[in-house]
Amino acid sequence: LWGVAQTINTGTFNFLRAVQGVDEQLAHRDASTRNALMRLVLETELALHRGQNADICWGEHSLVPTASEYLQMIDMKTGALFKACALLGAACSGESTLGEEMAQVMLDLGRYFQVRDDLCNVCDPAYWRAKGFFEDADEGKMSYPVLVFLDSEAADDGEEARWLRARFSERDSALSVEEKLRAYRVLHASGALAATRDYCLDKLAALRTSKLVKSPRGAKVLDLLYLVDVLSPAQVEQMLA
């Protein structure tokens, strides 16, 4: 919308302005505490950029990460910001032990948030109405269900599975609706969608037993991040008709 140069410059400015804002909020702290917290902020900024770089690199060079590598990217791109909020809040309140505990909870929240979003992209009609069915495929993005499939033995079992591996490895053009439906059938038959939902269920269960839910706002966040069901291919085709 604004052009590459303007977008890069404005984005960089806002990152720096955020760091400056944190520094201003810590002005009343002693030098040692202030330096430690600013170091945390800078480490978080670096993690965010490393995670974003990995995501961009995979797309630009048609590289296919493993599901494990994808989760590590989430920890940097999404989880690092959540984690920093926990550590900064705990440090400012003098609860460093709680901060370390909540930091892991925030990483779990980051993984749940992103993998759930990937599942919604494929399986949630409400999501389709806002962004379109399987919109990640239009942007050449890798998503967790696809990577679970590509990591599995099913990825080399049969013509349809080999087609999906090749199509998502090339990513030279957006998938048509017919190709998306074909991909959905493969992901559904291979169990990749069910495995993705099971992963989300495990993370959600851990989050619901963590100290996050002791906060009304934390509990509300989990309520808003509802988990969708995996639809049958016939249901998807009917909804898209």
Side-chain angles (χ1 to χ4, degrees):
L1 178 62
W2 303 109
V4 174
Q6 184 67 55
T7 301
I8 292 174
N9 187 66
T10 303
T12 302
F13 172 83
N14 283 314
F15 267 111
L16 294 173
R17 184 67 187 90
V19 173
Q20 183 183 45
V22 173
D23 186 54
E24 291 170 353
Q25 291 296 316
L26 297 174
H28 64 288
R29 296 279 174 173
D30 63 87
S32 177
T33 301
R34 186 175 182 179
N35 289 339
L37 294 179
M38 286 306 300
R39 190 179 306 114
L40 169 62
V41 171
L42 293 174
E43 288 172 352
T44 301
E45 295 277 11
L46 288 171
L48 293 172
H49 281 79
R50 289 189 182 108
Q52 186 67 58
N53 181 70
D55 202 15
I56 292 172
C57 184
W58 296 335
E60 291 290 328
H61 299 284
S62 297
L63 301 175
V64 181
T66 63
S68 177
E69 289 170 337
Y70 184 75
L71 292 175
Q72 291 172 23
M73 181 274 291
I74 293 172
D75 286 347
M76 293 184 288
K77 183 180 175 182
T78 306
L81 193 57
F82 293 168
K83 177 181 175 181
C85 291
L87 291 175
L88 282 170
C92 290
S93 63
E95 296 283 352
S96 58
T97 302
L98 177 61
E100 290 299 328
E101 180 182 346
M102 288 304 297
Q104 183 56 54
V105 173
M106 291 297 102
L107 288 177
D108 284 343
L109 178 61
R111 289 190 175 194
Y112 175 71
F113 181 91
Q114 185 59 60
V115 175
R116 171 198 169 275
D117 187 73
D118 290 351
L119 186 64
C120 287
N121 193 275
V122 186
C123 294
D124 186 5
Y127 195 104
W128 305 343
R129 287 191 289 272
K131 293 193 172 183
F133 171 58
F134 214 159
E135 178 243 0
D136 282 346
D138 293 335
E139 300 180 6
K141 289 182 179 178
M142 276 298 171
S143 68
Y144 192 75
V146 174
L147 295 175
V148 167
F149 167 76
L150 294 178
D151 281 353
S152 70
E153 293 181 1
D156 297 312
D157 184 18
E159 179 182 348
E160 291 294 276
R162 288 192 292 272
W163 166 81
L164 184 59
R165 171 181 283 279
R167 193 66 178 86
F168 273 89
S169 297
E170 295 166 1
R171 285 176 286 169
D172 54 355
S173 61
L175 272 67
S176 66
V177 174
E178 290 74 19
E179 286 180 310
K180 290 178 182 179
L181 285 170
R182 184 179 178 185
Y184 189 95
R185 286 190 287 270
V186 176
L187 293 175
H188 187 275
S190 69
L193 293 176
T196 299
R197 192 174 191 277
D198 287 344
Y199 180 87
C200 289
L201 281 172
D202 288 344
K203 287 298 175 188
L204 185 58
L207 290 168
R208 289 200 179 282
T209 58
S210 72
K211 290 184 177 178
L212 178 66
V213 296
K214 290 188 176 182
S215 161
R217 290 182 179 178
K220 181 64 174 178
V221 167
L222 293 186
D223 289 340
L224 291 172
L225 295 175
Y226 61 87
L227 188 56
V228 297
D229 292 325
V230 173
L231 303 173
S232 71
Q235 288 175 305
V236 174
E237 290 179 26
Q238 183 179 16
M239 290 178 181
L240 293 176

